[in-house]
Amino acid sequence: MQPRSRFPKAVYGVGEEPDPRFTLANERTFLAWIRTSLALIAGGVAIDAVALPLSGPVRIATSAVLLLLGLALPVLAWWSWAATERALRLGRPLPGSVVTLPLAVGVGVVGLLVAVGVLTR
Amino acid sequence: MSAADPGLQPERTALAWRRTLLALAVAALVSVRVLPPVLGGWTAATGLAGVLVAGVLWAAAARRSRRSAAAFPHDRGAMPGGALLAATALLTAGGAVLGLLRLVVLLLR
């Protein structure tokens, strides 16, 4: 019987089957980032789809930052999931979170922009 | 038969999939309202296609959850792979791209 080949090979072609509790935890982490990304996309669209008391250029900048974060996050979440699953299979230390810093910086920038936007309305 | 897992991991993971895909479906549905005024009628179709894809992913996630629950915790090799995650990430990124497109078109007006 042929062994099942799972996608991607870069993950499943190496190492051994890890404790599935860690695999499922990794999966839930990925899904949490996807939901975060959806919230950011919704925010980015809502900024100008809904009339908010912000000045024009600030509104655009805020919208852009949120949407760019919403685009980057699924990519980072996938990469993070794959790197973590690989590390689990190889028994290596888990990679640090790639997602947290861009997210923290991005949301901080958005907060600043909104503050500026409200003050310069 | 696998012993019940006190951490309820397969159940929590199944719920996480449902929460996530529901949010995706709702976002796609809202896009039908929000995108066409700026990008044109074709984005109503993409929104509906997004809802359909979310539905397909939902069915796939249900299968995945059954398979995980059966494999957990002893049949490690039977745990599912990453294809559904990749599809979910792609669908989400696609939504972000459409949102950005909408912003660009608004700027160019």
Side-chain angles (χ1 to χ4, degrees):
Chain A
M1 185 151 80
Q2 287 266 334
R4 247 173 57 238
S5 73
R6 287 171 286 180
F7 174 83
K9 268 222 212 42
V11 168
Y12 293 100
V14 300
E16 291 164 359
E17 300 300 324
D19 186 330
R21 287 175 299 172
F22 303 146
T23 292
L24 290 181
N26 191 14
E27 194 160 313
R28 289 196 303 278
T29 305
F30 167 84
L31 292 174
W33 288 128
I34 294 292
R35 290 195 302 278
T36 308
S37 164
L38 284 171
L40 291 168
I41 296 168
V45 172
I47 292 279
D48 65 23
V50 174
L52 292 173
L54 294 175
S55 76
V58 170
R59 225 180 325 146
I60 295 162
T62 309
S63 203
V65 171
L66 286 170
L67 286 167
L68 285 169
L69 273 176
L71 177 60
L73 228 56
V75 177
L76 291 171
W78 162 260
W79 186 91
S80 201
W81 172 85
T84 300
E85 199 68 22
R86 250 182 83 94
L88 287 172
R89 296 182 70 88
L90 292 169
R92 293 202 188 137
L94 298 184
S97 176
V98 203
V99 194
T100 341
L101 187 58
L103 186 62
V105 169
V107 172
V109 166
V110 166
L112 272 170
L113 281 172
V114 170
V116 168
V118 168
L119 292 172
T120 63
R121 182 181 11 140
Chain B
M1 191 153 71
S2 54
D5 167 37
L8 296 173
Q9 289 245 9
E11 290 81 0
R12 283 156 58 201
T13 311
L15 286 174
W17 274 110
R18 278 182 240 158
R19 284 207 296 284
T20 309
L21 292 174
L22 188 61
L24 262 170
V26 167
L29 204 55
V30 169
S31 83
V32 174
R33 173 75 188 83
V34 166
L35 296 181
V38 178
L39 292 176
W42 64 280
T43 47
T46 57
L48 291 172
V51 177
L52 275 171
V53 173
V56 170
L57 296 186
W58 178 285
R63 271 201 314 277
R64 179 191 192 84
S65 300
R66 279 196 297 274
R67 207 162 97 186
S68 284
F72 188 92
H74 300 299
D75 190 1
R76 297 184 173 191
M79 291 294 286
L84 187 58
L85 286 81
T88 306
L90 265 170
L91 187 60
T92 310
V97 166
L98 285 173
L100 279 165
L101 205 61
R102 177 182 174 278
L103 184 65
V104 167
V105 169
L106 279 176
L107 282 176
L108 294 177
R109 278 192 176 170

